[in-house]
Amino acid sequence: MRSENTPFRGGPLDGRVLPILLGPTGHPPKWYEVPVPAHDGRPPTLYTYRREPAGYSKRLGLQRGWVYQYAPEGRERRELRWPWSRPSAPATPPPKDAEPNE
């Protein structure tokens, strides 16, 4: 498997460069999570990093690789939206005591 040395910005891994395995498309994963076990009976800590472009070249505007940026809020949760699914229901249903039009 191929790997790429990817720098980290912010958080506990700030300034480090780690080899990250690349996926089938040649890109590192969008999120990188570092679990840290806790001592003294506390729950373990999970540090999350989001993949972002490292920069762009001046002349052609080509991307210069990837960098992981610290995300203290954690991983973003997404809801899948399929083209064939119905739109979400309205927040408030119409009142039942409304008079019908005659």
Side-chain angles (χ1 to χ4, degrees):
M1 303 240 7
R2 281 187 41 197
S3 65
E4 178 178 300
N5 290 334
T6 308
F8 286 77
R9 292 185 187 154
L13 295 179
D14 188 23
R16 294 190 185 189
V17 178
L18 298 177
I20 305 295
L21 291 176
L22 303 179
T25 60
H27 298 286
K30 290 183 181 180
W31 291 91
Y32 189 78
E33 297 177 339
V34 181
V36 178
H39 302 291
D40 304 331
R42 292 180 291 161
T45 306
L46 185 67
Y47 296 118
T48 55
Y49 288 85
R50 180 185 317 112
R51 182 187 73 188
E52 294 181 353
Y56 297 94
S57 65
K58 290 182 180 181
R59 180 172 253 177
L60 296 176
L62 300 175
Q63 187 175 330
R64 294 185 177 219
W66 300 100
V67 65
Y68 279 109
Q69 184 69 37
Y70 181 60
E73 67 276 359
R75 196 173 201 175
E76 297 169 357
R77 300 295 174 202
R78 293 183 347 164
E79 181 180 326
L80 292 176
R81 301 235 178 232
W82 300 102
W84 54 84
S85 43
R86 287 191 233 166
S88 58
T92 57
K96 295 182 179 181
D97 60 341
E99 295 180 21
N101 295 337
E102 295 181 16

